[in-house]
Amino acid sequence: MTSLSQQLRKNATPEENTLWYQYLRDYPIRFRRQFVFGHYIVDFYCARAKLVLELDGSQHYDPEGIQKDARRTEYLESLGLMVLRFSNDDIKRNLRGVCERVDAVVKDRMQK
């Protein structure tokens, strides 16, 4: 899985690159890209906040994608993680709102 996660980092989607380079890379609390949990690779992970960020393209909205995402989220939540999902359109149309939401959730989870 590690080599696949490295490959995914090198071939990130435009939306992943936007969120990473315009916000998460310089965020004061460390986020990691394409992090491995069991047999899943998450888009972004913040260990201190126990937070996973997932950016969803169109394949996530068909019935099979919805089921896969539900299983994935259930597994990640069983590890004590919170999963925040944003659509690629959220990144394209409202990056500022996404960043504000991420910041608010990180700060809230750090207080717990």
Side-chain angles (χ1 to χ4, degrees):
M1 291 296 278
T2 302
S3 63
L4 178 57
S5 70
Q6 291 170 340
Q7 211 172 27
L8 290 170
R9 272 192 299 277
K10 289 178 186 174
N11 298 304
T13 67
E15 295 80 11
E16 289 169 345
N17 280 334
T18 295
L19 185 59
W20 178 253
Y21 288 109
Q22 292 188 29
Y23 188 66
L24 295 176
R25 181 176 66 167
D26 296 323
Y27 192 76
I29 298 166
R30 184 176 185 209
F31 273 86
R32 299 186 64 184
R33 296 186 299 159
Q34 305 301 332
F35 192 80
V36 177
F37 281 102
H39 60 278
Y40 294 109
I41 300 172
V42 302
D43 292 333
F44 300 101
Y45 171 60
C46 177
R48 287 183 55 200
K50 295 184 178 181
L51 178 64
V52 168
L53 304 179
E54 291 284 82
L55 302 187
D56 295 341
S58 60
Q59 73 277 15
H60 292 268
Y61 299 104
D62 64 35
E64 184 179 337
I66 291 168
Q67 287 180 340
K68 284 182 180 180
D69 286 345
R71 287 191 300 272
R72 174 191 192 94
T73 296
E74 183 178 330
Y75 171 75
L76 295 168
E77 287 176 347
S78 77
L79 301 176
L81 304 173
M82 178 182 184
V83 179
L84 273 184
R85 293 186 167 281
F86 298 99
S87 71
N88 285 343
D89 284 341
D90 291 332
I91 301 299
K92 291 176 193 172
R93 295 182 180 155
N94 189 19
L95 179 62
R96 182 178 181 165
V98 169
C99 296
E100 288 171 356
R101 174 80 173 126
V102 169
D103 186 54
V105 170
V106 168
K107 287 176 179 174
D108 180 61
R109 292 188 60 84
M110 295 294 293
Q111 292 177 3
K112 295 180 179 180

